[in-house]
Amino acid sequence: MWFIPLPDGDTSVGAVTWPYYMKTRQTDIETFFRDIIAQAPELAARLASAEMVTPVEATGNFSYFCERAYGPNYILLGDALSFIDPVFSSGVLLAMQSAFAAADAVDTCLRHPKEAQATLVGYQRAMREGLRKLSWFIYRINHPSMRDLFMGPRNIFRVKEALLSVLAGDIFGDTPIWRSVTMFKAIYYWNQIRHPRRSIAAWQRRRVSIRV
Ligand SMILES: Cc1cc2nc3c(=O)[nH]c(=O)nc-3n(C[C@H](O)[C@H](O)[C@H](O)COP(=O)(O)OP(=O)(O)OC[C@H]3O[C@@H](n4cnc5c(N)ncnc54)[C@H](O)[C@@H]3O)c2cc1C
């Protein structure tokens, strides 16, 4: 559930659910949403005297990455380029990181026009690659092996700092975290092998839950 105060005094309230749960809906969206809120008593108490100021909306998936990050006289960055599932609240940092990278790319295009094409291709590749690295964690966020690692953190091979760097959005730069990130993934997979039944159950549950 989210509960986000907005600058104009309103509050954005919402829920992220598995697709299968959305498909159980038998009422209108507003009633369905009110039922979801009722399942979170603390949120329901906060909203007891709240007034709904816009209609309830539902959407299947709001993650996207534009097919092209650049074209004649334009370059895309921030939300204009992509938006990734907001599990880790990385939107602002990704927007700022892409702004730095795009500014460098534009600078190169203006100073060295012959390098423009290669620079823009490199920019697009770096953005896509960075988001792919972050997505690895998002796709596995509710896997039991990942939950184990998050809830019982140990800092072998400095995986903790590396993970914090990734989740903070430090995915485009030269920070030397990738060896530790690889170790984190190795521990994650090792955890899965150690608990095969749980891993298979999680895989099956996910497959059913995300079926469209
Ligand atoms: C409810 C909500 C909660 C969020 N929570 C978080 C969070 O906790 N942490 C986090 O990191 N991210 C969060 N995000 C995501 C984050 O806000 C965005 O990823 C980030 O603001 C993107 O920055 P941006 O500069 O690309 O776009 P924006 O911040 O949208 O800026 C684009 C600007 O361009 C202006 N504009 C649009 N069209 C024109 C035009 N034709 N001419 C001139 N100006 C124009 C707009 O008015 C706007 O000011 C949240 C988003 C929402 C909606």
Side-chain angles (χ1 to χ4, degrees):
M1 315 286 302
W2 74 80
F3 184 93
I4 303 171
L6 300 176
D8 60 5
D10 295 338
T11 300
S12 168
V13 180
V16 180
T17 78
W18 286 107
Y20 86 86
Y21 183 74
M22 293 299 269
K23 281 186 286 180
T24 62
R25 177 170 75 90
Q26 308 219 320
T27 55
D28 59 282
I29 294 178
E30 183 175 329
T31 309
F32 190 65
F33 185 50
R34 287 186 185 279
D35 288 345
I36 294 177
I37 291 173
Q39 292 174 42
E42 289 185 7
L43 182 63
R46 279 175 173 233
L47 295 177
S49 52
E51 180 193 338
M52 203 172 282
V53 291
T54 58
V56 176
E57 289 178 39
T59 180
N61 180 359
F62 39 86
S63 297
Y64 57 82
F65 191 97
C66 290
E67 277 173 26
R68 289 185 65 103
Y70 64 89
N73 298 322
Y74 74 83
I75 187 163
L76 297 177
L77 54 97
D79 279 4
L81 173 63
S82 72
F83 188 83
I84 195 157
D85 192 298
V87 170
F88 298 126
S89 278
S90 45
V92 169
L93 205 95
L94 291 178
M96 297 185 80
Q97 295 263 23
S98 60
F100 280 115
D104 283 345
V106 170
D107 188 53
T108 304
C109 293
L110 294 176
R111 287 177 198 272
H112 312 286
K114 283 187 183 157
E115 294 171 26
Q117 181 61 16
T119 302
L120 292 169
V121 169
Y123 169 76
Q124 178 167 295
R125 190 183 310 123
M127 292 302 113
R128 208 180 283 277
E129 180 64 10
L131 288 171
R132 201 181 57 74
K133 287 173 178 163
L134 192 58
S135 302
W136 188 91
F137 293 90
I138 291 173
Y139 282 122
R140 290 161 180 82
I141 184 66
N142 46 16
H143 192 285
S145 296
M146 186 67 95
R147 202 168 288 175
D148 281 354
L149 289 172
F150 272 54
M151 302 308 278
R154 287 165 55 208
N155 199 13
I156 45 173
F157 305 111
R158 300 189 65 186
V159 294
K160 192 170 168 183
E161 290 107 308
L163 187 62
L164 287 173
S165 280
V166 171
L167 300 189
D170 186 9
I171 45 178
F172 304 112
D174 302 324
T175 317
I177 53 175
W178 297 110
R179 199 176 293 176
S180 297
V181 170
T182 304
M183 286 313 299
F184 180 89
K185 290 183 181 179
I187 299 168
Y188 166 82
Y189 288 121
W190 173 240
N191 237 348
Q192 285 204 28
I193 293 167
R194 275 180 53 215
H195 303 284
R197 265 209 219 150
R198 187 181 73 172
S199 300
I200 291 169
W203 173 73
Q204 282 174 331
R205 199 165 51 242
R206 180 179 167 79
R207 232 181 49 155
V208 171
S209 298
I210 64 173
R211 194 176 296 155
V212 180

